[in-house]
Amino acid sequence: MPMENATNKKLIMLVDDSEEDTFLFRHAANKVRDDIVISTHLDATALLEKLKTERASDATHTPDLIFIDINMPSMDGMAFLQALKSDENLNNVPALMFSTSAYRKDIDFCYHHGASGYLVKPSSNRDLVNKLNHVFDYWIDTVEATQTH
């Protein structure tokens, strides 16, 4: 049985091609909560394939929340969001865009294509911890999750 289900931990995924950003995210998230498992991924194409394969064989691997960077090589975050939301087995996973871009056209595009939220990456670790604290309080403690995963 996967660790997140055995211990009732929530599976939080981040897809971001920056190793530094994934390290900072993991560090900040683990400061905020101990009831989560953080899974970071540097390649959006590989993560999408992994999600589709695991979902097809075992729904317990479906993340409770995915953070998606926009600017990535190979498959950018907007294409990843569209692919995620077009998959009937994955479209109910809350997808939060997590980008340095504050361009209105990017924000509007993401919401139009099914993003559950759009967060601009904070410039300090303290601000990241605070932002993740609010996000996790909402998505883990407040919102009722779907039962399909």
Side-chain angles (χ1 to χ4, degrees):
M1 183 178 283
M3 179 174 50
E4 62 274 8
N5 288 342
T7 61
N8 293 321
K9 291 189 175 194
K10 300 294 185 182
L11 176 58
I12 310 298
M13 288 187 172
L14 167 68
V15 58
D16 191 322
D17 65 313
S18 166
E19 288 186 34
E20 181 180 354
D21 285 353
T22 59
F23 173 81
L24 293 172
F25 182 93
R26 180 184 297 279
H27 180 68
N30 286 326
K31 276 185 158 182
V32 172
R33 305 283 295 227
D34 61 3
D35 61 345
I36 58 176
V37 173
I38 303 297
S39 177
T40 58
H41 305 270
L42 299 172
D43 184 301
T45 304
L47 175 57
L48 187 62
E49 187 58 37
K50 173 183 166 79
L51 288 170
K52 287 181 177 185
T53 302
E54 289 179 353
R55 178 65 181 162
S57 65
D58 183 1
T60 61
H61 286 88
T62 305
D64 294 286
L65 186 60
I66 298 179
F67 289 80
I68 306 166
D69 183 33
I70 288 181
N71 298 310
M72 294 183 287
S74 172
M75 174 185 273
D76 70 20
M78 291 178 186
F80 180 88
L81 174 68
Q82 289 177 294
L84 185 76
K85 293 303 178 180
S86 68
D87 186 300
E88 66 182 26
N89 293 315
L90 298 170
N91 64 6
N92 62 343
V93 176
L96 299 176
M97 306 312 288
F98 192 59
S99 179
T100 57
S101 172
Y103 293 122
R104 182 86 260 164
K105 67 180 178 91
D106 290 344
I107 296 168
D108 291 344
F109 179 94
C110 292
Y111 279 122
H112 180 75
H113 288 91
S116 302
Y118 193 103
L119 307 166
V120 175
K121 291 180 181 178
S123 57
S124 76
N125 189 51
R126 184 167 69 162
D127 289 343
L128 178 58
V129 167
N130 288 336
K131 189 168 275 199
L132 290 180
N133 188 41
H134 291 297
V135 169
F136 293 153
D137 279 351
Y138 180 75
W139 285 104
I140 295 172
D141 297 332
T142 305
V143 174
E144 292 298 326
T146 179
Q147 292 298 311
T148 59
H149 74 275

